[in-house]
Amino acid sequence: KKKRIRIEKFLDNIADAEVRLILRLRYVDGKSWLRIGTILECDGSWARKKVLKYLKNNLDVLPSEKENDPYNSVYLKSSA
């Protein structure tokens, strides 16, 4: 329950409503990128790329560079 509250607080602080919705659909509702694309009437890869771009520009993170990463993970940049 505490984890969900932290996620909700994080989402509430995102100014971009579209990114906020995509993140909510993916990480709160557990929707696939394909399903998110269907809901938003766009390509699922566009939604994923929009989120990754937002995270890269706002949270000092990088998308996974592993081509075969089935989770399209995001990894924190090293501060060293």
Side-chain angles (χ1 to χ4, degrees), residues 9-27:
K9 284 182 181 181
F10 171 79
L11 293 174
D12 288 343
N13 288 314
I14 296 175
D16 185 320
E18 198 166 50
V19 169
R20 190 172 54 248
L21 174 59
I22 295 168
L23 286 169
R24 187 174 307 282
L25 289 169
R26 178 72 178 167
Y27 297 105

Side-chain angles (χ1 to χ4, degrees), residues 31-69:
K31 306 288 187 207
S32 70
W33 292 114
L34 181 62
R35 182 70 181 128
I36 292 168
T38 301
I39 292 167
L40 299 179
E41 298 180 352
C42 68
D43 187 81
S45 65
W46 174 87
R48 181 179 58 82
K49 288 174 187 175
K50 183 167 180 76
V51 165
L52 291 176
K53 182 178 180 181
Y54 173 84
L55 293 174
K56 182 179 177 183
N57 291 333
N58 294 283
L59 299 178
D60 198 30
V61 296
L62 288 173
S64 171
E65 295 180 6
K66 299 176 184 176
E67 286 185 27
N68 296 325
D69 183 351

